[in-house]
Every structure is written in C-alpha cells, then in structure tokens.
Amino acid sequence: MSTNGINKALKLQFGLINYENRYLTAEAFGFKVNASATSMKKKQIWTLEQDEQDGQVVFLRSHLGRYLASDKDGKIICGAEMRDPECRFLIVPQADGRWALQSEPFQRYFGGSADYLSCFAQIIGEQELWAVHLALHPQASLLSVARKRYAHLSASDGEISVDSNIPWGVDSLVTLVYLDGKYSLKTCDSRFLSNDGKLVKENTNATSFTLELKSGKLAFKDCDGKYLAPVGPTGTLRSGRCSKPGKDELFDLEESHPQVVFQAANKRFVSVKQGVSISANQDVETDMETFQMEIDKESKKSMFRTNGGSYWTLVTHGEIQSTATEVEVNTMFDIEWRGQRVALKASNGKYVCTKKNGQLSAVSDTVADDELLLMKLINRPMLILRGENGFVCHHKNSNTLDANRSVYDIFTLIFNDGAYNIKSVNGKFWYVSSSGLVCSDGEKSENFFLEFLEHGRVAIKGSNDKYLRGDQGGTLMCDGKSVDASSLWEY
C-alpha cells in the first residue's frame, strides 16, 4: 500500500470470523484451512494483497506466506507460493459490514464451518459471510486520502480535525477499539468519536462503525449507513451525506512512530526554535522541542525528524544541525540505554554532548553528565502491547497479565524522570513479584524502562534489570536476561 503521507501505510492484516464466531485458520500441516479457532493468534492472521492491474481482485496470504486458492470443484487449499489464477478473489461487502469472498475465475462463494470449508455456493447465505477483525496494532495515524491531511484531536473545538500536514504530537494518535465486529475511534484523552462529530465518554451505537475496504483504503460506515468524512474548512471528522464511499470517505492508517522530548544536563529542552542548530535552550515543550524517532530496519540506528520534516545530522566540527532532508549515514545515531538517561553516539563514533551554550555536538569519547539526556516519550499516554503471541491483557481470575490474547487492555503510561510507571485499568500499578511475575494490583508505582531497539518494537526492562517477556504458558514475566523475539513489543 503506497501512501501520500510521510509515514508508511500499514499492511492490512486481519482475522476472518465465520457465522459460528470461529476464525479462519491456516494449519502448517498439509496447508489445510479450517474455521475452528475461537480467538485470533498467528495462524488466524491473513494479509490482504491487491492485484496491481485490477484493484478489485485480492489475494489472501496466510502466516506461512501461502495463498488461499479454490479449484473449479470448490475445493479450498492454502499451499500456493505464487499468486496463481485460482488464488484470485473478489470482496463483496454486505450491509452489516461482513464480507462475502467470491472466487474470481469460478464465480462461487467461499464459506462453511470447522473442517468443512468450500468455495462452491452460487448465492450468498449466512455460511458465506465473514466478519473482519483487524490484526494490526490498534494505535496509528489516520490520513485522509482526499485531503492528504492527518486527523488530530482539536480539544478546544471538541472535535477531530483533519487538517494536519504531519501527524505531530499526542493529539494525532488514534486508537481503534474493536467490539462485536464494529470499530470505534478513541482520542488520546479517552473520548470516542460520535457520527455527528462530537466526542463522547461512552462507547455507544453512534460511536460504532463498520470497516469497509475500497482499493486498499479504509472507509468507516456508521449505524445509519453513512460514512465518516472530513467536513468544512478544518476537516471536522463526522458522517457525511454519502451512503457510498467516494474519495472523501477513504483513509489510510499509518504507523505512528515514537515522538520524544529531550532534556539536557542544563535542565533545558533540546529545540530547533533558534534555526538550524540543535540546542538545549528552551524551558517549555512545544512542537519545536518534539522529535520523531525513526529506527532504521537494517542497522537499528535512530534518526530524529523535526516538525519541519528535516533530520538531525552531523556537520563539520561535530555540530548537530537539522539541515538534512534525506536519510544518510550522518543522520544516524546509536542510542545507549543507561537506565533513566540515554547517550547518543553520532556517525563519527563520538558521543553527543551539550556545550555550555546549549549547542549539541558529537565531540566526546566518554560519557559523563554532559553526554546524558533525559528522553521522554510523549505520544503513548495509552499503552497497548502486542508481543509475538498476542496482546497483553489482564488475566481473568488473578492479578497476573496474559501476553497471548487476541483482545487487548489499554494501560496508562506515566513518565517518571526517565523511567515509566504503568497503571492498570483498575487504577492499580504494575510491579514485579519476587518470582518474576508481572502483577497488576500494586498500591504504589514501580519503575520500568523503555528501550526502543527496533523499528516499531520496544523492549521493557523492570527494576530487577530483567526484560518483560511472554512465557510458554502465555503469562507476562519480567525475567528475560537478554532481548529476543519474546521480549520485543509492538506499542
């Protein structure tokens, strides 16, 4: 999915739920498919790919990288490594938001239950209908395709406005809340968007939308069959008059990069207010003191983008300026995680230090006070964690947390001088027990440390110097000695 935005559009991954509330599952053995699973884990996640020539045609790719296919007799298998003609399907959206999937070459519909799935029905019945459960991380930036502008909370107007050139700051974070096949849009201050454009505290029928796909873009249909669209000069997000989605009603979800504020040893904020030089000389946090951290997928090094779209870069004599418009070697920094502070190493192998006048320069060989920075994440007040086996969620009958669920709980992230406290839905705090269990009913807060190690992934270290991970039984532990796949979280 290409995008006109500044960040990458998210690949559409989802689970498909049949009329018996079971998920379409791709088994590793024999490339068989069934609809028996009661929740969405790895085997139940499908990626939608579109045909480049014909935007109506879609391919469904399993977690094994194989494509769903139907032969002329309606037999279903998921073993194709290439997009063969038999893998071509059409999505036929229904009024209630569910999909029927039609084989393009044979014109038959896909459906059934348990192990008895086929693509032989000539008409769409209840058995041929599938509800769509998005599998991507639910926090993202929302881009209007028509306006090429981003949605953000406009607290003063009490609305979501679609008029930002860049998704900057916490106000641009949108959380998609899934409930009974419908989606709600939640703002960073925990209010829901109603179809009349107002923001309300409760999730009701008026705040529930069915998701439709049109040429790889998303449309949100309300309870009256009308679609969300930006309206008026500020692009107020509300249901328009259209009962068919055109360009105005289409949106992209883009990944939301971490945005951070730095405070130097002189207790002042790093800023670009003074022009091109990056300098710790401000006493208040504004967009000029907020930087987007983009992590290179290959090298795992970090780039820092300003709200003007330029990057921090190393120039002559070690000075750091915001003059780079493209990513290159001098815009890449290594981050060293030192508990409640970080140190940055530039491409010349030197550490970034704060000079007496506040200017940042990469001139130091060792790390002392002037090379340490306080780094604060500003655009995740609500924390949703997804690991390799699913989301983090309260355990039903105890004070522990599960790390393998297809539903998620929303936790509150509270900054505490370079560390973070994590608050549960019940208002109590996370802490680590003596056996390494993460518990969610603490009366007083305990420090955790966020380390942004990979693109879209964070490692979380407890006060016991161990990393959070999901164990074999799906319980959230804080006993990881080093970082591996089990201790990296989408956030």
Side-chain angles (χ1 to χ4, degrees):
M1 280 166 69
S2 67
T3 169
N4 306 315
I6 67 164
N7 300 322
K8 215 162 145 273
L10 290 162
K11 254 209 310 250
L12 283 181
Q13 294 187 312
F14 45 77
L16 288 170
I17 308 167
N18 77 349
Y19 71 107
E20 294 179 326
N21 231 8
R22 295 288 195 267
Y23 285 83
L24 183 65
T25 302
E27 298 294 356
F29 182 71
F31 301 113
K32 288 190 166 69
V33 286
N34 62 55
S36 305
T38 54
S39 67
M40 181 167 61
K41 308 270 174 70
K42 197 160 99 182
K43 289 183 188 171
Q44 288 76 36
I45 291 177
W46 298 82
T47 304
L48 188 77
E49 295 182 3
Q50 282 183 295
D51 186 62
E52 283 75 24
Q53 273 71 51
D54 182 353
Q56 296 307 305
V57 172
V58 297
F59 302 90
L60 293 169
R61 190 160 57 86
S62 75
H63 66 105
L64 300 165
R66 305 295 181 110
Y67 292 95
L68 191 72
S70 161
D71 69 11
K72 65 180 189 317
D73 301 319
K75 185 168 179 267
I76 284 283
I77 191 155
C78 191
E81 291 182 66
M82 309 292 287
R83 297 168 166 193
D84 300 333
E86 295 188 339
C87 305
R88 296 166 68 88
F89 286 90
L90 301 168
I91 295 171
V92 186
Q94 305 298 300
D96 64 0
R98 287 187 293 176
W99 292 356
L101 290 167
Q102 184 179 30
S103 160
E104 194 219 28
F106 307 116
Q107 304 288 300
R108 301 294 180 98
Y109 295 97
F110 171 51
S113 68
D115 291 324
Y116 303 100
L117 299 179
S118 67
C119 191
F120 207 60
Q122 289 177 303
I123 55 167
I124 300 169
E126 190 62 17
Q127 294 203 8
E128 286 71 46
L129 292 176
W130 301 86
V132 185
H133 185 175
L134 280 188
L136 40 84
H137 190 279
Q139 290 174 309
S141 304
L142 191 65
L143 176 75
S144 159
V145 172
R147 296 205 179 195
K148 298 189 172 67
R149 293 287 184 277
Y150 290 91
H152 66 97
L153 169 67
S154 179
S156 56
D157 302 323
E159 65 175 37
I160 294 179
S161 308
V162 187
D163 61 357
S164 280
N165 289 324
I166 48 174
W168 212 252
V170 67
D171 291 346
S172 297
L173 185 71
V174 174
T175 303
L176 286 178
V177 179
Y178 178 79
L179 189 67
D180 299 330
K182 302 274 172 74
Y183 285 87
S184 307
L185 295 175
K186 196 174 195 180
T187 56
C188 63
D189 62 358
S190 291
R191 290 188 288 172
F192 294 98
L193 178 70
S194 180
N195 59 357
D196 61 3
K198 293 190 174 70
L199 296 172
V200 295
K201 284 268 182 251
E202 298 297 318
N203 196 354
T204 64
N205 206 20
T207 61
S208 301
F209 301 88
T210 50
L211 214 52
E212 287 191 6
L213 278 190
K214 193 176 169 192
S215 32
K217 311 292 181 197
L218 297 175
F220 296 90
K221 185 165 77 170
D222 74 7
C223 53
D224 300 324
K226 303 287 193 259
Y227 291 84
L228 282 184
V231 177
T234 59
T236 304
L237 193 58
R238 53 171 303 175
S239 290
R241 289 188 290 274
C242 290
S243 47
K244 257 181 125 155
K247 196 173 179 187
D248 281 343
E249 288 75 31
L250 295 181
F251 296 88
D252 258 329
L253 282 177
E254 290 187 357
E255 62 181 317
S256 168
H257 291 278
Q259 292 179 347
V260 297
V261 169
F262 290 104
Q263 196 176 23
N266 64 8
K267 294 284 182 264
R268 307 191 82 180
F269 295 112
V270 173
S271 178
V272 287
K273 199 167 245 172
Q274 56 291 326
V276 295
S277 66
I278 307 279
S279 197
N281 61 7
Q282 295 298 314
D283 296 319
V284 289
E285 300 171 30
T286 71
D287 285 352
M288 296 273 194
E289 290 72 47
T290 303
F291 302 99
Q292 178 157 291
M293 188 160 83
E294 299 176 8
I295 300 173
D296 182 63
K297 283 183 175 160
E298 267 61 64
S299 69
K300 314 274 196 279
K301 293 179 192 288
S302 293
M303 286 84 67
F304 299 101
R305 193 199 280 246
T306 71
N307 73 324
S310 59
Y311 289 94
W312 291 19
T313 187
L314 176 70
V315 296
T316 46
H317 310 304
E319 201 179 317
I320 308 296
Q321 291 189 350
S322 62
T323 50
T325 52
E326 300 285 325
V327 170
E328 33 112 9
V329 69
N330 285 341
T331 63
M332 301 216 180
F333 295 83
D334 280 306
I335 302 181
E336 288 186 6
W337 306 95
R338 296 173 170 249
Q340 291 174 258
R341 298 293 182 271
V342 298
L344 303 179
K345 193 185 263 188
S347 56
N348 61 1
K350 304 278 189 187
Y351 288 101
V352 174
C353 104
T354 308
K355 291 184 157 175
K356 291 280 176 281
N357 64 356
Q359 168 66 46
L360 297 197
S361 290
V363 292
S364 303
D365 293 315
T366 55
V367 175
D369 281 355
D370 286 340
E371 288 74 33
L372 290 175
L373 293 163
L374 175 79
M375 186 172 95
K376 175 167 87 166
L377 176 70
I378 64 125
N379 62 336
R380 287 295 184 282
M382 298 185 287
L383 187 67
I384 296 171
L385 294 175
R386 183 166 86 158
E388 60 173 353
N389 295 313
F391 287 104
V392 173
C393 194
H394 285 99
H395 190 280
K396 281 191 183 69
N397 308 316
S398 75
N399 64 347
T400 60
L401 294 154
D402 295 330
N404 63 352
R405 300 280 290 277
S406 59
V407 291
Y408 52 82
D409 278 327
I410 299 177
F411 301 97
T412 306
L413 194 65
I414 301 161
F415 183 71
N416 181 22
D417 189 34
Y420 297 85
N421 308 139
I422 303 172
K423 204 188 228 182
S424 288
V425 180
N426 59 12
K428 302 281 179 42
F429 289 95
W430 285 22
Y431 64 95
V432 181
S433 75
S434 53
S435 61
L437 270 171
V438 181
C439 303
S440 62
D441 61 347
E443 293 299 333
K444 56 182 206 298
S445 58
E446 189 169 294
N447 279 348
F448 291 86
F449 304 91
L450 303 188
E451 300 182 359
F452 301 93
L453 301 178
E454 289 191 9
H455 184 99
R457 303 281 189 284
V458 67
I460 302 176
K461 193 183 257 189
S463 299
N464 61 359
D465 224 29
K466 302 279 203 306
Y467 289 99
L468 253 56
R469 66 177 192 92
D471 73 3
Q472 291 299 305
T475 302
L476 187 66
M477 304 292 293
C478 187
D479 61 359
K481 292 187 176 63
S482 61
V483 173
D484 59 21
S486 70
S487 48
L488 285 169
W489 306 90
E490 286 179 69
Y491 58 93

